[in-house]
Amino acid sequence: MGILPQLILNSIIAGAIYTLVALSFNLIYSTTKFFNLAHGVMAAIGGYAVFYFSKTLGLDIHIAIVLGVILTGFVGFGVDKFIYLQLRKRKASNMVLLVASLGVMTALQAIIAILFSSRFKTLSGNIDTQKIFTILGGVITQTQLVILLSAVLIMAGFVIFLYKTQFGKTVRAISDDEEVARIIGINTNKIIGYIFFIGSAVTGFTGILIGFDVGIEPTMGLSLLLKGVIASIVGGVGNIYGGVLGAFLLGFVENFGIWKISGEWKDAIAFALLIVFLIFRPRGIMNK
Amino acid sequence: MEYLIHLAILFVIYATLGVSLNLVVGYTGLLSVTHAAFYGIGAYTTAIFLTKSGVGFFSSLVSGIVIVVVISFLVGVVLSKFKGDYYALVTFGFNAIIFAVFLNWQNLTNGSLGVPGISRPELFGINFANNFNFLILALIFFVLVYFASRFIVNSSFGRVLKAIREDETAIAVFGYKTLSFKLVVFIISAAMAAVAGSLFASYITFIDPSSFQLTESMFILAIIILGGLGNLRGSILGALFLILLPEILRFVGFSSDIDAQMRQVVYGIILILLMLYRPQGLIGEYKL
Amino acid sequence: MAVAVVAIGYFVLKDSSDISAKTIKIGVIAPMTGDLAFMGEGIRDAILIAKENMGNTKNRYEVIFEDDQLDAKMSASAANKLLSVDKVDAFVTFSSVTGNVVAPIAEQNKAVHFGIASDSNVAKGKYNFIHWTPPSEENKVLIAELQRRGIRKLGIFKGNAPGAIAVIDDLKEQLKDTNIEVVTEQVFNSGEKDFRTIIAKSKDSGSEIYLLLAFSPELEILVKQMRETGITTPITSIENFEMSEQLDLFEGEWYVNSADPTADFINKFNTKTDKSPTLGAANAYDIFNLIVAANEKVEGTSKPTSDQVVTELMKITNFSGALGNLSVNEDGIIVSKAAVRIIKDGKPVTVGN
């Protein structure tokens, strides 16, 4: 047995985090179709919001988390309303939106650093307060278990939301073809606004979870976003199950790659997987 | 004065990078986010030759071009299977892999320690330790690259590129082997980046992997989007703007605590405003 | 665009000699934004503390901070700006990257340059100095302690950064003459937060002790994750435990540190910033004081020249610094002795020899 159970567990934990990012990224991307570089910053915003509410203001941690998630949702909503929407109205190209999102990411990260300094912070208390569980020979902490459960729940939530509600149907219509959706009377901009709220809130929640698991820093968003993007595309853009599959595949490949090769090649392995995968299965695991 | 000459050298190097990337992105419509990799290979080739062998600057530069041509050919072949966002992601992946090689192939590149002590070029006894002389040298190379690019875009080859950008299937129907065209422009663009890399290595006299990461590719992309895709003069302006802007901000003072971070906020806001009010870029011709 | 060029030109050409001619200007280039901003912030704070505690001096000293985001081209731009516009007399840089970029510029312009960098290349040249305890001295002490405790199997976790790599390369070289074996060596990249798999890989190696060459925050996360998997193996490090904000993680663990650092500095830093010093902060503090000391020693009433300052710097031995008792060797590298310390009851204590 040896290292295998732990390796599998590690892969699942990593996969769970990537799933959360892939889900939220996918949601927004499928409707707006541009690479929002600022999406990752929402994780930092969520984490720091909870830090502020719970450690500085001393609020109960659960309230802090709820407030943090909602706040992040609003920030995402605001960025869309005041920047991206305005650009969409002017028929801006995706490249332009990309550069604008680069500006948003730069500014937001810097603002967080100004308010909280760039020092790494954790949301959890002392190391001893972590409950540890052993499953089939591998170790997992309580926070990591929560991350896993959250990923499953949110994925389920997304599925229900997108496929079983009227609102979800509208969202899918927009992601299929925005122009057509508008023609048939859907207020696409309003819906996209809500999507940004939800997507940002989920990412904020992810940042909070990471804050409890390891910690937060202002620049945490970008690498997180990249992993989420890889997961989405490997799994098949626009497909929920694909994003999840891609995320777990990424988690497994990274960790098994480290096992077989070495820690410093982790990122290269992830991308190599991506490329090999795309060569042989260009539409992703699950075609749309 | 030295400061201005230094900035001019950087500007010329980045103008070279911008113009060459524009050939692929702006004129052919391929979203390549791996330019920093070829920039880096050119830089490392020159650095290694200059420090470990008796080979001179110009031979090193040519060697850099040769190596880059080979690698970009291989990369380009793999890329020929992809379009749009997938293309972008695969290029991204190559950048990450090549960066990992710079960082981890310690025997060749010295890893994170970098390569110090790179000499300036030796030619006709001219003292290139004098930055002004180096500027002239860099300018000469840039002018060559620029006019080569102008020639390409104005030729029938260039017309095919633009046709590929507008509608690849349509022009393929007419019997044009679009794959070859895309491959050739990709290789030419990469070779030009290698030239910029050689200049960079010799100028700073020290290189390390961190100069050739994904963020660098994004920076070069931002230059051409800002300047205006499909417009070579625009790329020059974009390079001027993005090199000068952070430097100008050095003179805008805030309280020393938050100084640098505030500058980042301003930088981000300027990017956003530029995209809002000038989405076609400083001199735009092509809107996706 | 023309406006911008004119604006910069104005600042460059403006005559800044309106300030007293005996002001010594020190330019500090460090990452003030980006991933390592917290280290740049620590350096800035440390230097400001040193300046506040300077006391009376015959020269005036001014410090100017510039951000380089640890990017080579920005380091070069910052250095050029500081020279052309601010007319600095000395540079302080952080990281081997910045140091290697600025060293040739400093040498060419005869400006004193102190690098907080592990790469000895940065000290090449008359005007270039490094303040970073050389690995050989610390490894000697480490190996001696390992042997004293009868340890034969060593496990290593190292970050993929110049500081850690230089130490381990030297260590492995020195270990060749001993009977200590490196049974596992795990590497991780900067910014990594998930060490669980490399920890799992090392579990069956039979290490009697783990040498952790990581800096905050990776260090604390690594240790936490190790403990979470139930590893009770002792851990040790070179220099980094003391600066942690979570000293309880290292309770009872011994490590190698520069000998006799003044606890004074850590207290001052805590008081001013409410945080513990970051990597390189103590070095920055010392460097500022060294520069001031050298300038003050130069005789005469006119402003010291770089050559005079360099002469004084090379003479320094037994300087009391935050990193212990300092001397400058002939290569321009500041050396201090190393010693074994242990965290006892949440405080670092030197273990008697």
Side-chain angles (χ1 to χ4, degrees):
Chain A
M1 268 295 224
I3 191 181
L4 213 50
Q6 188 64 56
L7 214 50
I8 296 176
L9 223 44
N10 293 346
S11 307
I12 295 179
I13 296 168
I17 295 185
Y18 298 153
T19 297
L20 288 168
V21 185
L23 284 173
S24 57
F25 174 78
N26 230 338
L27 183 66
I28 298 182
Y29 182 81
S30 62
T31 49
T32 58
K33 305 272 191 286
F34 86 94
F35 264 40
N36 178 11
L37 279 172
H39 187 69
V41 179
M42 300 301 150
I45 292 181
Y48 278 95
V50 169
F51 179 84
Y52 179 68
F53 291 132
S54 73
K55 301 231 170 151
T56 317
L57 291 185
L59 296 176
D60 170 62
I61 191 73
H62 301 97
I63 300 185
I65 294 178
V66 171
L67 282 177
V69 170
I70 296 180
L71 176 69
T72 314
F74 273 113
V75 172
F77 177 80
V79 166
D80 172 59
K81 184 159 171 165
F82 293 111
I83 301 176
Y84 301 148
L85 175 62
Q86 305 307 318
L87 285 171
R88 284 202 302 275
K89 281 198 185 143
R90 292 157 213 240
K91 302 259 182 262
S93 70
N94 284 348
M95 306 275 218
V96 165
L97 282 159
L98 176 75
V99 174
S101 72
L102 174 64
V104 173
M105 172 182 101
T106 311
L108 285 178
Q109 267 177 204
I111 291 177
I112 294 176
I114 290 176
L115 293 174
F116 297 96
S117 101
S118 305
R119 216 48 106 96
F120 196 77
K121 302 189 193 314
T122 57
L123 291 180
S124 55
N126 290 330
I127 156 186
D128 299 319
T129 59
Q130 272 278 24
K131 278 205 234 99
I132 310 213
F133 303 93
T134 316
I135 301 182
L136 297 173
V139 162
I140 185 171
T141 68
Q142 185 181 21
T143 307
Q144 288 157 5
L145 219 44
V146 172
I147 293 178
L148 252 163
L149 279 162
S150 308
V152 171
L153 284 174
I154 292 185
M155 177 189 102
F158 270 43
V159 171
I160 297 176
F161 159 68
L162 279 178
Y163 289 96
K164 303 271 184 346
T165 67
Q166 183 61 29
F167 184 65
K169 223 159 128 192
T170 344
V171 171
R172 279 186 293 129
I174 298 178
S175 61
D176 273 339
D177 194 327
E178 198 209 336
E179 270 204 62
V180 169
R182 223 176 317 131
I183 292 175
I184 65 174
I186 298 179
N187 185 343
T188 56
N189 286 327
K190 194 163 92 153
I191 307 277
I192 291 180
Y194 292 143
I195 294 293
F196 264 96
F197 183 92
I198 299 173
S200 307
V202 169
T203 312
F205 183 60
T206 311
I208 296 171
L209 288 173
I210 295 177
F212 279 101
D213 187 33
V214 284
I216 52 177
E217 53 188 352
T219 52
M220 64 192 279
L222 188 58
S223 56
L224 199 61
L225 175 65
L226 281 180
K227 298 292 169 73
V229 168
I230 296 178
S232 302
I233 298 199
V234 163
V237 183
N239 185 308
I240 290 192
Y241 299 111
V244 174
L245 231 54
F248 281 101
L249 184 65
L250 182 61
F252 270 87
V253 165
E254 273 185 345
N255 283 288
F256 277 81
I258 294 178
W259 180 39
K260 279 297 161 193
I261 309 178
S262 184
E264 70 263 37
W265 291 99
K266 180 173 168 181
D267 293 327
I269 294 170
F271 276 106
L273 154 81
L274 169 73
I275 294 174
V276 164
F277 208 82
L278 289 181
I279 292 178
F280 295 107
R281 192 134 180 131
R283 290 272 202 74
I285 306 178
M286 317 205 61
N287 300 335
K288 193 165 173 182
Chain B
M1 215 43 210
E2 277 299 300
Y3 181 42
L4 286 176
I5 296 178
H6 160 80
L7 290 179
I9 295 177
L10 284 186
F11 155 60
V12 167
I13 292 177
Y14 278 86
T16 310
L17 288 167
V19 162
S20 52
L21 183 63
N22 211 344
L23 290 175
V24 172
V25 180
Y27 285 91
T28 322
L30 300 168
L31 183 50
S32 160
V33 201
T34 185
H35 220 49
F38 302 122
Y39 178 42
I41 296 175
Y44 266 100
T45 312
T46 296
I48 295 171
F49 272 123
L50 283 177
T51 53
K52 294 201 184 155
S53 77
V55 175
F57 175 75
F58 297 94
S59 314
S60 307
L61 184 132
V62 169
S63 313
I65 293 180
V66 168
I67 296 180
V68 159
V69 163
V70 170
I71 297 182
S72 61
F73 173 76
L74 297 168
V75 172
V77 164
V78 172
L79 281 170
S80 54
K81 288 179 158 282
F82 303 104
K83 285 191 167 54
D85 297 325
Y86 292 90
Y87 184 95
L89 206 77
V90 174
T91 58
F92 218 52
F94 275 116
N95 201 154
I97 293 172
I98 292 178
F99 169 72
V101 169
F102 290 154
L103 187 64
N104 297 318
W105 192 353
Q106 263 149 18
N107 289 334
L108 183 67
T109 65
N110 216 16
S112 57
L113 280 163
V115 183
I118 307 170
S119 52
R120 291 282 175 91
E122 273 164 42
L123 180 66
F124 308 135
I126 302 177
N127 173 24
F128 282 106
N130 176 326
N131 286 347
F132 184 73
N133 293 341
F134 195 92
L135 174 60
I136 304 294
L137 181 70
L139 258 170
I140 294 175
F141 277 107
F142 168 67
V143 164
L144 289 171
V145 164
Y146 178 72
F147 280 107
S149 305
R150 267 249 310 237
F151 177 74
I152 292 174
V153 304
N154 289 332
S155 68
S156 54
F157 183 82
R159 277 197 292 280
V160 175
L161 293 180
K162 289 182 219 172
I164 293 177
R165 176 186 76 198
E166 298 304 328
D167 192 336
E168 187 173 350
T169 354
I171 191 169
V173 163
F174 281 96
Y176 282 96
K177 296 201 177 53
T178 55
L179 251 51
S180 316
F181 282 87
K182 290 194 289 189
L183 191 58
V184 169
V185 73
F186 187 74
I187 295 175
I188 293 177
S189 159
M192 291 172 173
V195 171
S198 299
L199 285 169
F200 181 76
S202 187
Y203 172 58
I204 308 273
T205 72
F206 166 80
I207 55 168
D208 78 300
S210 71
S211 295
F212 309 110
Q213 287 180 84
L214 290 166
T215 39
E216 188 73 5
S217 286
M218 292 202 292
F219 179 70
I220 304 171
L221 190 62
I223 285 180
I224 61 174
I225 295 178
L226 209 76
L229 291 174
N231 188 306
L232 294 181
R233 282 191 338 258
S235 305
I236 301 177
L237 226 54
L240 189 64
F241 190 85
L242 281 186
I243 291 288
L244 281 190
L245 182 55
E247 299 303 314
I248 296 174
L249 288 177
R250 285 193 200 278
F251 298 93
V252 180
F254 297 99
S255 93
S256 88
D257 255 14
I258 58 170
D259 206 4
Q261 299 287 4
M262 263 321 282
R263 290 184 206 152
Q264 287 295 96
V265 176
V266 172
Y267 180 85
I269 293 180
I270 290 181
L271 282 181
I272 297 173
L273 290 175
L274 265 167
M275 292 296 101
L276 274 173
Y277 295 108
R278 191 93 197 152
Q280 70 274 40
L282 295 169
I283 317 177
E285 166 206 286
Y286 164 57
K287 283 162 71 171
L288 257 173
Chain C
M1 213 36 55
V3 172
V5 175
V6 168
I8 293 192
Y10 165 71
F11 280 106
V12 166
L13 299 170
K14 174 173 91 155
D15 191 11
S16 58
S17 65
D18 36 309
I19 308 198
S20 146
K22 285 194 0 171
T23 305
I24 316 273
K25 294 198 186 167
I26 302 175
V28 181
I29 306 177
M32 304 299 234
T33 58
D35 290 334
L36 292 185
F38 69 96
M39 289 195 188
E41 284 169 10
I43 294 201
R44 178 200 61 209
D45 291 335
I47 291 185
L48 289 175
I49 292 174
K51 185 157 185 279
E52 278 163 26
N53 289 290
M54 208 166 50
N56 286 325
T57 55
K58 65 177 183 192
N59 299 302
R60 278 191 46 187
Y61 296 89
E62 192 188 315
V63 186
I64 303 153
F65 297 96
E66 284 296 341
D67 179 21
D68 75 336
Q69 302 182 330
L70 231 45
D71 177 38
K73 66 178 184 289
M74 304 226 79
S75 310
S77 297
N80 274 290
K81 180 252 179 191
L82 286 166
L83 274 173
S84 292
V85 178
D86 300 293
K87 315 254 194 292
V88 298
D89 305 291
F91 284 109
V92 180
T93 63
F94 175 68
S95 91
S96 298
V97 173
T98 312
N100 270 311
V101 171
V102 174
I105 299 179
E107 192 71 12
Q108 204 178 11
N109 290 280
K110 300 202 200 312
V112 174
H113 167 224
F114 266 95
I116 302 172
S118 56
D119 187 0
S120 53
N121 246 309
V122 176
K124 268 208 192 126
K126 176 177 174 193
Y127 299 94
N128 290 311
F129 297 82
I130 301 180
H131 184 13
W132 188 277
T133 324
S136 50
E137 171 69 21
E138 294 184 305
N139 282 328
K140 249 194 274 177
V141 175
L142 177 71
I143 294 177
E145 185 66 16
L146 288 173
Q147 286 175 320
R148 198 180 72 83
R149 290 172 183 255
I151 293 175
R152 307 276 279 270
K153 297 194 174 175
L154 178 67
I156 298 179
F157 281 88
K158 74 178 192 214
N160 201 357
I165 295 182
V167 170
I168 298 297
D169 285 347
D170 177 84
L171 179 66
K172 290 203 276 200
E173 193 60 37
Q174 289 197 43
L175 281 176
K176 281 188 189 155
D177 301 321
T178 69
N179 55 4
I180 301 175
E181 187 199 341
V182 175
V183 292
T184 180
E185 189 176 335
Q186 301 296 330
V187 189
F188 55 90
N189 287 330
S190 313
E192 184 58 63
K193 304 287 186 291
D194 182 355
F195 306 100
R196 290 180 281 250
T197 296
I198 57 175
I199 291 173
K201 271 176 87 171
S202 71
K203 244 178 148 175
D204 288 327
S205 61
S207 304
E208 294 171 74
I209 190 169
Y210 286 112
L211 172 63
L212 308 178
L213 241 4
F215 315 121
S216 301
E218 282 87 16
L219 178 64
E220 286 86 356
I221 301 175
L222 176 59
V223 174
K224 260 200 264 191
Q225 289 177 349
M226 283 174 94
R227 299 283 184 243
E228 278 166 10
T229 61
I231 293 181
T232 50
T233 320
I235 54 178
T236 184
S237 182
I238 296 185
E239 298 256 358
N240 297 305
F241 287 174
E242 270 183 34
M243 296 185 287
S244 173
E245 294 189 318
Q246 300 173 60
L247 282 173
D248 49 302
L249 280 176
F250 311 106
E251 183 64 37
E253 308 285 3
W254 65 269
Y255 57 98
V256 175
N257 202 67
S258 47
D260 318 313
T262 51
D264 198 32
F265 169 68
I266 300 187
N267 287 337
K268 286 207 185 81
F269 197 96
N270 268 327
T271 315
K272 179 174 163 105
T273 65
D274 246 343
K275 299 184 259 224
S276 60
T278 52
L279 184 70
N283 310 55
Y285 178 83
D286 282 344
I287 290 174
F288 181 84
N289 289 329
L290 284 164
I291 293 178
V292 169
N295 272 284
E296 292 296 299
K297 278 240 198 78
V298 172
E299 299 193 347
T301 49
S302 47
K303 182 170 159 181
T305 64
S306 290
D307 288 318
Q308 290 173 312
V309 175
V310 167
T311 312
E312 290 304 326
L313 281 171
M314 295 302 279
K315 286 193 211 158
I316 289 181
T317 55
N318 276 324
F319 186 91
S320 176
L323 284 183
N325 204 298
L326 312 173
S327 314
V328 181
N329 76 6
E330 69 222 354
D331 295 319
I333 299 178
I334 300 182
V335 287
S336 58
K337 292 227 145 302
V340 177
R341 310 217 329 150
I342 193 168
I343 302 284
K344 210 169 184 178
D345 302 321
K347 283 194 176 13
V349 170
T350 304
V351 171
N353 289 325

